[in-house]
Amino acid sequence: MNKTKVNFDAISRIKIAHTPTPLESTSRLSDALGCQIFIKRDDCTGLAGGGNKVRKLEYLLADAKNQGADTLITIGGLQSNHARQTAAVAAKFGLRCELVLEDIPGTPKQEYYHNGNVLLNKLFGANIHHMGVGQDSISYSEMLIDKLIQNGQKPYLIPIGGSNVIGSFGYMRCANEIVQQLESHNITIDQIVLASGSAGTQAGLLAGLIAAQIDLPVLGICVSRSTLDQQELVESLLRKILKNRGIDPELAKGKVNCIGDYVGEGYGIVTETMIAAVNQCAQLEGLLLDPVYTGKAMAGLIDLCHQGVIAKGSNQLFLHTGGSQALFAYRDNINLIFKDN
Ligand SMILES: *Cc1c(COP(=O)(O)O)cnc(C)c1O
């Protein structure tokens, strides 16, 4: 049953992702946490090792093509998963790709510069512009766009994380996919938990749920901001999405739930609980998380279960947004927990 009022056929989209992605239950992780943990496997969206950005790129690529673009430009951290997925989309559709990637202070150095997503970006044939700490990548991108236009190219700028209204349609659509999967598996969940960064995933999901008139809490675990800053970012994007689809933006009120307690020192900087969560999911479920997003989100979920903030016996759906490719960039940090490092 499709409850949503939103007509997705009216929005340009190029199908890329392997969807629906699997919805899995966990046994050993659920036992360890005292809650039933289900995992929505958006790390399995197919292209380039998968991840949540593929769903956003289905809409962003369609818009780029409609505008006659021949080059995709995007911005992110040096180990951005979004950049890797954008580079792969560009390769698949015969577009050029320019990646403006920022160095992140406090991250490991050796592998971070060359391995993980950086290595994959090169394989996909992207042009990498490595920004030093403190360099302004937004104004650099504007300069780059001018230069490309002068060269006769038609660049299309994708914002950080693909998180604008168009990109977020990917997760508005995914909300329907989740609702339908839960119905067909006869599963009731109490909450969706996910890593919240540039906000399009959380805002898109909430927009989809609001459109479908489903009152299901979505908890965004921050990876770069404080609780309030993240809530503000998600809510402002959510309002824009709702407005764009002709839905009352006031319905966003009170829907945005974030928690900023698991960021640690900052975006991309490891925390002990992240490493423990990555290790625990690997050893209990054979499941790979990532050091920047899902590792911190799972660290939050684990802690909230242990604290009893998330009720024992409740059903939680963890949205796995991908990123395990970045594990290799963090070898130095992760390896420290093993005796034979
Ligand atoms: C980008 C990303 C996120 C966060 O999604 P946003 O839409 O930016 O909030 C979460 N997990 C992974 C692995 C990502 O690459």
Side-chain angles (χ1 to χ4, degrees):
M1 189 175 41
N2 194 350
K3 288 176 189 160
T4 181
K5 287 181 283 186
V6 175
N7 177 14
F8 285 100
D9 296 339
I11 313 172
S12 285
R13 166 180 171 244
I14 295 172
K15 184 167 167 39
I16 306 168
H18 297 181
T19 53
T21 56
L23 176 72
E24 295 178 342
S25 57
T26 64
S27 155
R28 301 185 72 212
L29 181 65
S30 295
D31 285 350
L33 299 190
C35 290
Q36 205 54 47
I37 309 292
F38 296 91
I39 303 191
K40 173 68 173 164
R41 297 293 304 271
D42 268 19
D43 57 322
C44 302
T45 51
L47 189 75
N52 61 339
K53 304 313 183 303
V54 180
R55 287 190 193 265
K56 299 178 180 184
L57 286 162
E58 292 191 326
Y59 287 97
L60 292 161
L61 175 69
D63 190 47
K65 287 232 165 206
N66 288 342
Q67 294 186 23
D70 59 13
T71 305
L72 301 180
I73 302 185
T74 200
I75 305 167
L78 201 52
Q79 284 293 334
S80 162
N81 301 301
H82 164 67
R84 181 234 320 149
Q85 289 160 88
T86 302
V89 164
K92 184 173 168 65
F93 291 88
L95 305 174
R96 291 198 226 184
C97 184
E98 306 284 337
L99 301 176
V100 179
L101 303 182
E102 300 169 6
D103 207 336
I104 310 285
T107 50
K109 287 302 156 229
Q110 210 71 4
E111 305 281 346
Y112 196 82
Y113 284 143
H114 306 289
N115 209 335
N117 286 311
V118 173
L119 176 66
L120 299 179
N121 291 336
K122 288 184 191 160
L123 277 178
F124 295 130
N127 219 346
I128 299 174
H129 306 257
H130 185 155
M131 303 287 101
V133 173
Q135 216 178 330
D136 181 353
S137 37
I138 304 285
S139 57
Y140 182 92
S141 308
E142 285 163 2
M143 262 167 42
L144 180 61
I145 287 171
D146 287 344
K147 213 169 92 188
L148 295 172
I149 292 172
Q150 275 166 26
N151 283 346
Q153 282 172 248
K154 295 191 175 101
Y156 180 90
L157 179 67
I158 298 176
I160 293 179
S163 284
N164 55 14
V165 170
I166 294 172
S168 302
F169 290 149
Y171 272 89
M172 207 170 168
R173 199 165 194 280
C174 179
N176 281 359
E177 185 179 306
I178 291 173
V179 168
Q180 284 171 20
Q181 262 175 333
L182 292 171
E183 276 181 8
S184 69
H185 290 71
N186 221 347
I187 299 167
T188 312
I189 54 162
D190 299 300
Q191 180 169 253
I192 298 177
V193 179
L194 79 165
S196 193
S198 63
T201 305
Q202 190 176 3
L205 270 182
L206 282 166
L209 293 170
I210 290 169
Q213 297 173 306
I214 291 168
D215 196 18
L216 177 61
V218 177
L219 177 62
I221 299 188
C222 308
V223 298
S224 51
R225 292 182 191 82
S226 68
T227 304
L228 288 180
D229 286 354
Q230 189 69 18
Q231 278 179 182
E232 226 176 272
L233 186 71
V234 176
E235 185 167 330
S236 102
L237 181 54
L238 173 57
R239 284 173 178 271
K240 284 183 200 151
I241 303 165
L242 294 173
K243 214 167 155 200
N244 179 284
R245 291 294 97 198
I247 301 167
D248 181 7
E250 289 307 307
L251 293 173
K253 250 194 197 141
K255 291 281 185 189
V256 180
N257 245 327
C258 296
I259 181 161
D261 293 354
Y262 305 96
V263 178
E265 285 176 49
Y267 174 79
I269 302 177
V270 298
T271 61
E272 264 180 53
T273 55
M274 174 281 287
I275 294 177
V278 167
N279 196 30
Q280 199 171 2
C281 284
Q283 304 214 350
L284 292 179
E285 295 293 336
L287 181 73
L288 291 177
L289 300 179
D290 84 278
V292 181
Y293 297 94
T294 55
K296 285 184 180 174
M298 183 58 81
L301 177 59
I302 291 170
D303 185 57
L304 294 170
C305 286
H306 285 161
Q307 279 189 48
V309 176
I310 290 178
K312 285 248 172 299
S314 64
N315 292 345
Q316 305 289 320
L317 178 67
F318 183 79
L319 177 65
H320 191 333
T321 41
S324 63
Q325 294 73 15
L327 282 172
F328 304 102
Y330 284 81
R331 183 179 68 125
D332 300 344
N333 295 113
I334 293 167
N335 219 10
L336 286 177
I337 62 173
F338 303 113
K339 283 197 194 78
D340 62 350
N341 65 73

